[in-house]
Amino acid sequence: MKTDIEIASEAKLKPITEIAAQLGIAEDNLECYGKYKAKVNGRGNKKGKLILVTAINPTPAGEGKTTISIGLADGLKKTGRNVCLALREPSLGPVFGIKGGAAGGGYAQIAPMEDINLHFTGDLHAITAANNLLAAMIDNHIHWGNELKIKEVTWHRCQDVNDRALRNIRSGVGFDCERDEHFDITAASEVMAVLCLSSDLDDLKKRLGNMVIGLDEDGNRVTAHQIKAEEAMTILLKDAIKPNLVQTLEGVPAFVHGGPFANIAHGCNSIQATRAALSYADYAVTEAGFGADLGAEKFLDIKCRTAGLEPDAVVIVATLRALKCAGGKTENLSTRDDECLVKGIDNLKKHVENITGVFKLPCVVAINRFATDEDAEIELLENELKALGVRAVCAECWAKGGAGAVKLADAVAELTSSKKTKMEFSYSLDQSTEDKIVIIAKKIYGADGVIFTDKAKADIAKYPQNLPVCIAKTQFSLTDNPKIIGRPSGFNITIKEVMYKAGAGFLVAIAGNIMLMPGLSRSPSAERMSINDGVIEGLF
């Protein structure tokens, strides 16, 4: 069996100008970064149908959500449909940490993969620079007299590599700006969220200025606008806000732009990229991070609300291996175990119920099939889902590319044409912040209720009540405890604190022991990488 690298090296990529021409994008609207990457200016005049790809809660076995997203797009093209992808950019944190690259796998990949997984067009570096420029300007303001009388700085520095040692540090030691400091990973920074939710450059500048950086001596919020930082930050981000165009191995255009994590941020690619894909193609396939309890909920309740978007169909990805894992099986996942499979399917059912019952959207389950999967296991899964009125379709994108997703493509296209109900949000903005969090916990996670710490209650009392809520929670469980898998019941969610992201336009509620700066694993992917004669191995 060929490796991802061998498959990618054999692929004959087209110049990005040819890929753009497929969408009707003129060369004058391209800013090329080499032969196979470009920034895109402007929009098309189509009004495509939006397809959201999400998944069950992640397991060590893997689900292949990005692979299915890419394979589905390739399948739509193979069946003669005009399609475009809109995906997130990989972060160096997972690339060098535990996950590896995020460009798909096998014959369902976006390319050039090495570039996409590493520095790409520099967007994440620009976000990091803008974030840390603001931090430097805050400390500089304090050094030169502190005219705004800043007493507490709440703004964090960031970087795009996992480094637990930077979670809590002491900065400015020996100088008049000495204080406790914190680093977040770039994907969790508010600048990332702001860039991904901005409608244009002016909106970006306004949102950057609205970001809260601390409190003054009277307890009033101090903003980046008061520090006079938003113009310089916008200058750093003027190119980063433009969506990037690449391609799949089968030549499907793909906008890859923005990279917030779904466990600690809102988990979706930029509004710019999604709107571009919709404007240039009849079908736009996009993806939300991690399981549907995090990525899809935030995509629908935050991104769709902000951008006025509404999916025409939802795909929920699962593998039999992952379902067995969710059911408690820890070894020999390729072997049959109907008991664990049925238990794991309960987790899938919860996500299906959320999409169809809470958000009122049509969905199909994509079974990312492995060669070891037995037909009887597939039939068991199909029968379990029939009771919910949901179809399960096998896809073999990794092994066959678009040819392995033709049935899935037809099923998704059929769903988009038969959509009858309007999407509903899980909560309304006029409800209190506490009520919104409780609704998400009960409706989406299946919790009995929410425990708010005293700090969380005090935080909520200080902040506006008419904003969406972004819950930062472990991706591995419907609960706030990563060790509780499957579809648990009889649990509560604990909210430790709430943060106001005025630029992004939402509140972040921290559930359980979630970290805004991840650490490297005992054996990070970086240890298994090499480069010889310019050839990189171990990156994917």
Side-chain angles (χ1 to χ4, degrees):
M1 183 178 293
K2 294 180 180 178
T3 66
D4 287 1
I5 295 174
E6 290 171 330
I7 291 168
S9 65
E10 293 174 2
K12 295 181 179 180
L13 300 183
K14 297 178 181 178
I16 198 62
T17 51
E18 290 186 22
I19 296 298
Q22 291 178 204
L23 299 175
I25 301 173
E27 286 193 38
D28 288 347
N29 288 332
L30 295 179
E31 297 174 14
C32 293
Y33 285 65
K35 192 174 181 180
Y36 302 113
K37 311 184 296 289
K39 292 278 186 183
V40 176
N41 297 298
R43 294 288 182 273
N45 53 19
K46 288 183 177 289
K47 295 181 179 179
K49 294 183 177 181
L50 183 59
I51 301 160
L52 172 64
V53 179
T54 183
I56 64 172
N57 289 99
T59 70
E63 294 68 52
K65 189 165 68 281
T66 304
T67 300
I68 289 291
S69 298
I70 297 166
L72 170 59
D74 287 336
L76 286 165
K77 179 188 177 184
K78 192 165 283 291
T79 55
R81 298 173 174 105
N82 177 242
V83 60
C84 189
L85 272 162
L87 301 174
R88 291 178 298 165
E89 298 179 51
S91 162
L92 294 181
V95 167
F96 289 105
I98 194 170
K99 186 177 179 183
Y107 286 93
Q109 301 184 43
I110 47 174
M113 287 155 298
E114 289 179 3
D115 294 359
I116 293 168
N117 280 319
L118 295 175
H119 306 292
F120 202 17
T121 58
D123 294 345
L124 269 73
H125 299 316
I127 292 167
T128 303
N131 182 99
N132 293 341
L133 170 64
L134 176 56
M137 291 181 71
I138 294 166
D139 287 333
N140 189 61
H141 178 90
I142 294 171
H143 172 77
W144 291 107
N146 197 10
E147 182 181 350
L148 294 172
K149 295 181 170 54
I150 300 171
K151 183 178 181 180
E152 178 186 357
V153 176
T154 57
W155 188 254
H156 294 183
R157 285 174 163 83
C158 73
Q159 73 163 13
D160 193 38
V161 174
N162 295 355
D163 190 346
R164 64 172 55 82
L166 294 179
R167 287 173 183 165
N168 300 295
I169 65 171
R170 190 81 177 163
S171 67
V173 176
F175 296 91
D176 53 6
C177 58
E178 182 174 340
R179 59 184 172 83
D180 290 335
E181 174 65 290
H182 312 274
F183 272 75
D184 298 337
I185 194 166
T186 299
S189 71
E190 187 174 1
V191 179
M192 172 65 83
V194 163
L195 182 128
C196 288
L197 292 171
S198 294
S199 58
D200 52 35
L201 198 65
D202 289 338
D203 187 35
L204 172 66
K205 186 191 301 184
K206 180 180 178 181
R207 286 174 177 272
L208 291 172
N210 287 342
M211 296 187 306
V212 176
I213 61 90
L215 302 174
D216 66 16
E217 293 175 353
D218 297 322
N220 299 313
R221 290 189 283 271
V222 182
T223 66
H225 173 70
Q226 291 172 274
I227 296 292
K228 302 176 182 177
E230 74 268 34
E231 294 285 351
M233 294 176 74
T234 304
I235 290 170
L236 283 173
L237 297 169
K238 68 178 180 64
D239 293 321
I241 193 175
K242 301 171 185 176
N244 310 298
L245 183 66
V246 289
Q247 63 190 289
T248 72
L249 296 185
E250 297 188 13
V252 171
F255 287 101
V256 180
H257 192 225
F261 295 162
N263 59 339
I264 49 182
H266 72 285
C268 317
N269 65 264
S270 72
I271 287 174
Q272 294 274 336
T274 303
R275 283 181 172 164
L278 288 167
S279 76
Y280 287 117
D282 296 325
Y283 295 89
V285 178
T286 192
E287 174 192 340
F290 293 127
D293 58 318
L294 288 171
E297 185 274 316
K298 294 169 184 178
F299 180 96
L300 299 168
D301 278 328
I302 296 176
K303 179 176 176 177
C304 287
R305 200 190 302 260
T306 301
L309 299 171
E310 180 174 336
D312 295 280
V314 178
V315 179
I316 302 179
V317 180
T319 67
L320 294 184
R321 294 162 56 91
L323 290 172
K324 293 173 198 172
C325 195
K329 191 175 178 67
T330 58
E331 297 179 346
N332 302 318
L333 296 175
S334 297
T335 61
R336 187 167 177 178
D337 189 328
D338 289 357
E339 182 179 355
C340 285
L341 179 57
V342 170
K343 288 181 180 178
I345 291 173
D346 280 342
N347 181 271
L348 171 60
K349 285 181 177 179
K350 176 57 180 163
H351 294 301
V352 169
E353 290 167 9
N354 288 344
I355 295 300
T356 60
V358 177
F359 296 107
K360 309 299 183 185
L361 291 170
C363 88
V364 61
V365 170
I367 306 170
N368 187 8
R369 186 163 192 172
F370 283 66
T372 54
D373 294 346
E374 296 183 20
D375 290 341
E377 295 177 301
I378 300 293
E379 185 178 356
L380 190 158
L381 174 56
E382 290 173 340
N383 290 335
E384 288 284 327
L385 291 172
K386 279 180 182 177
L388 299 177
V390 172
R391 183 180 174 188
V393 179
C394 285
E396 298 176 84
C397 313
W398 193 97
K400 300 178 181 179
V406 168
K407 288 183 180 179
L408 179 62
D410 286 340
V412 169
E414 183 181 339
L415 271 186
T416 64
S417 62
S418 61
K419 183 173 180 285
K420 297 177 181 178
T421 59
K422 184 174 177 58
M423 184 189 83
E424 296 181 7
F425 299 114
S426 69
Y427 56 81
S428 62
L429 291 182
D430 58 7
Q431 292 175 296
S432 71
T433 299
E434 283 197 20
D435 284 348
K436 290 169 191 167
I437 295 171
V438 170
I439 287 170
I440 294 172
K442 288 185 173 181
K443 280 188 178 181
I444 306 300
Y445 308 155
D448 286 350
V450 177
I451 299 170
F452 294 92
T453 66
D454 290 341
K455 176 169 175 42
K457 291 178 181 178
D459 290 339
I460 290 171
K462 294 185 296 186
Y463 301 142
Q465 298 288 303
N466 62 337
L467 297 174
V469 174
C470 178
I471 298 183
K473 178 185 75 70
T474 178
Q475 66 268 33
F476 298 114
S477 174
L478 288 165
T479 76
D480 54 14
N481 182 345
K483 295 182 180 180
I484 301 177
I485 59 175
R487 184 178 183 172
S489 60
F491 66 92
N492 291 307
I493 296 290
T494 298
I495 300 298
K496 297 168 61 176
E497 63 177 307
V498 176
M499 298 181 291
Y500 180 29
K501 303 296 183 181
F506 55 63
L507 300 174
V508 176
I510 307 294
N513 297 317
I514 195 73
M515 295 289 184
L516 299 181
M517 168 57 80
L520 293 172
S521 64
R522 182 182 295 274
S523 178
S525 297
E527 293 180 356
R528 294 177 292 282
M529 296 179 184
S530 65
I531 180 168
N532 294 290
D533 297 325
V535 178
I536 298 173
E537 294 185 2
L539 182 62
F540 309 111

